[in-house]
Amino acid sequence: MKKPQWVKEGLTLKGKIITVVLLLVVIIGGSVVAFKFYNFTQNNPKFCISCHLMQPAYNAWSKSKHKGINCHSCHHLSIPEQNRLLITFILHSPKTVPPLHGRIIVPWKFCYKCHWENNKKYPEAKKINNSRMHAKHYFMERIECSKCHGYILHEFLPGARFCLRCHKGKKVHGMKGFACLNCHTDRTVNLLPGRKKCLFCHGNEQIRKELIAGGTLDVQFFRPSKETIKKAPKIHVPAGAPMQFHCYECHKPHTKLMPGAGKCLSCHRDIILTGKHGLHVQTMGLACIYCHKPHSWKVTKKEAKSVCTTCHGYKDPLQFIK
């Protein structure tokens, strides 16, 4: 077979220039196409829905707090994992997303980049630097972020009773519909509600404003409704009242919300032997709070004239304890 004449003679200068230009066009064009394809697959969430399995995840993401964040900012796969998924998709054509089997899809280190460090790209991300709740659950207990956040597909704010996933048997009695963080708070070291957190519902507007100004995560995201606050009995604790301790010392929301007389006697064990207490409690069967009004507790002369006289004539309260 004879070679073409132009092969024997070689390319002219013009031909060489055209060849080089064509090669450059192919290389540059191919590079641009390759870059755009890579950028689309890595930085455009719409690439994810090219797989029909991801449509529910995409729909949930598009309505979530993370809708402005690229999928790959949180979801990172190694090259072997990407290839394995591709082969699985081609060979098996799965109809549903396989179960996690305990795998952590988004490790804490990716959450940390926005919610702990100052990320210029997402400056509005809520920070957990001062959150005792996160300090206990992650830094002390080593619980992954996704255990509480995102356990429902792309819903990052935990549900009202999400704590019950781990804290079994801690349902709240007498406060139906309450979120766990309506009571538990970032304000205290042990996360138990301090007195002021209880007074968010049971106190006045000034206390509510103070708690909201504090900006703890529990108040920001789990605030009782106006209807709940309105229905809650309002209490006043005088500054000079005895027993200035936390509400949960007497009230046990997870077992018995309202304390009975037995609760008083668990601390005041010898009170039956003092003055007329034995007569009133054991003989007459009066509950402690019949005479001692909750949260003020002292029976003053003024109160004795209204409380004690419902059963007998007025007597000085000091005579009662002698």
Side-chain angles (χ1 to χ4, degrees), residues 148-322:
C148 301
H149 304 277
Y151 62 89
I152 298 174
L153 183 62
H154 286 150
E155 290 187 19
F156 302 103
L157 183 65
R161 300 294 182 88
F162 73 98
C163 304
L164 296 178
R165 290 164 57 86
C166 295
H167 301 279
K168 306 295 184 183
K170 290 293 184 179
K171 293 182 179 179
V172 180
H173 298 274
M175 294 187 286
K176 186 177 180 181
F178 251 48
C180 302
L181 294 186
N182 282 158
C183 299
H184 292 276
T185 178
D186 254 345
R187 291 173 62 89
T188 58
V189 174
N190 58 8
L191 309 183
L192 293 175
R195 176 179 292 180
K196 281 193 174 180
K197 189 61 189 289
C198 299
L199 293 178
F200 192 96
C201 290
H202 298 284
N204 56 40
E205 189 63 28
Q206 181 60 38
I207 292 176
R208 282 188 282 279
K209 288 181 178 179
E210 181 183 334
L211 289 171
I212 292 171
T216 53
L217 295 177
D218 51 291
V219 175
Q220 287 186 53
F221 296 103
F222 294 92
R223 199 177 298 175
S225 66
K226 291 182 179 180
E227 292 75 15
T228 299
I229 294 172
K230 186 177 180 180
K231 290 179 181 178
K234 301 300 181 281
I235 63 173
H236 172 65
V237 182
M243 295 178 286
Q244 297 274 356
F245 41 61
H246 293 303
C247 307
Y248 58 75
E249 296 291 346
C250 296
H251 301 276
K252 305 294 182 183
H254 296 300
T255 53
K256 187 177 181 181
L257 186 60
M258 300 302 293
K263 184 62 182 176
C264 304
L265 297 176
S266 66
C267 291
H268 303 280
R269 296 181 182 87
D270 298 329
I271 199 67
I272 298 298
L273 305 176
T274 303
K276 306 296 190 299
H277 282 95
L279 172 65
H280 285 71
V281 175
Q282 292 181 322
T283 305
M284 299 180 63
L286 294 178
C288 304
I289 59 173
Y290 186 84
C291 301
H292 299 274
K293 298 308 175 185
H295 309 116
S296 58
W297 305 117
K298 285 184 178 180
V299 180
T300 63
K301 291 182 178 181
K302 180 180 179 181
E303 289 172 339
K305 290 177 181 178
S306 61
V307 175
C308 302
T309 54
T310 59
C311 296
H312 52 71
Y314 170 75
K315 295 180 181 179
D316 190 323
L318 291 177
Q319 298 299 316
F320 182 88
I321 58 176
K322 291 183 178 180

Side-chain angles (χ1 to χ4, degrees), residues 82-93:
Q82 293 181 39
N83 291 329
R84 180 178 58 80
L85 285 177
L86 178 61
I87 293 171
T88 300
F89 180 76
I90 294 173
L91 296 181
H92 301 289
S93 299

Side-chain angles (χ1 to χ4, degrees), residues 71-177:
C71 304
H72 289 93
S73 294
C74 302
H75 299 278
H76 293 260
L77 291 177
S78 64
I79 292 177
E81 286 178 315
Q82 293 181 39
N83 291 329
R84 180 178 58 80
L85 285 177
L86 178 61
I87 293 171
T88 300
F89 180 76
I90 294 173
L91 296 181
H92 301 289
S93 299
K95 303 298 181 184
T96 58
V97 177
L100 301 181
H101 295 299
R103 290 180 61 240
I104 302 299
I105 299 300
V106 181
W108 70 272
K109 61 183 179 181
F110 299 119
C111 309
Y112 188 89
K113 290 180 179 179
C114 293
H115 295 285
W116 184 276
E117 300 171 353
N118 288 319
N119 190 318
K120 294 181 180 179
K121 194 173 181 180
Y122 306 111
E124 296 181 359
K126 294 294 181 183
K127 300 297 184 289
I128 61 170
N129 308 50
N130 297 321
S131 171
R132 292 186 175 100
M133 201 165 299
H134 288 88
K136 177 176 176 59
H137 286 80
Y138 177 72
F139 292 102
M140 296 173 68
E141 303 291 342
R142 310 303 292 177
I143 298 172
E144 282 284 347
C145 306
S146 56
K147 184 77 172 180
C148 301
H149 304 277
Y151 62 89
I152 298 174
L153 183 62
H154 286 150
E155 290 187 19
F156 302 103
L157 183 65
R161 300 294 182 88
F162 73 98
C163 304
L164 296 178
R165 290 164 57 86
C166 295
H167 301 279
K168 306 295 184 183
K170 290 293 184 179
K171 293 182 179 179
V172 180
H173 298 274
M175 294 187 286
K176 186 177 180 181

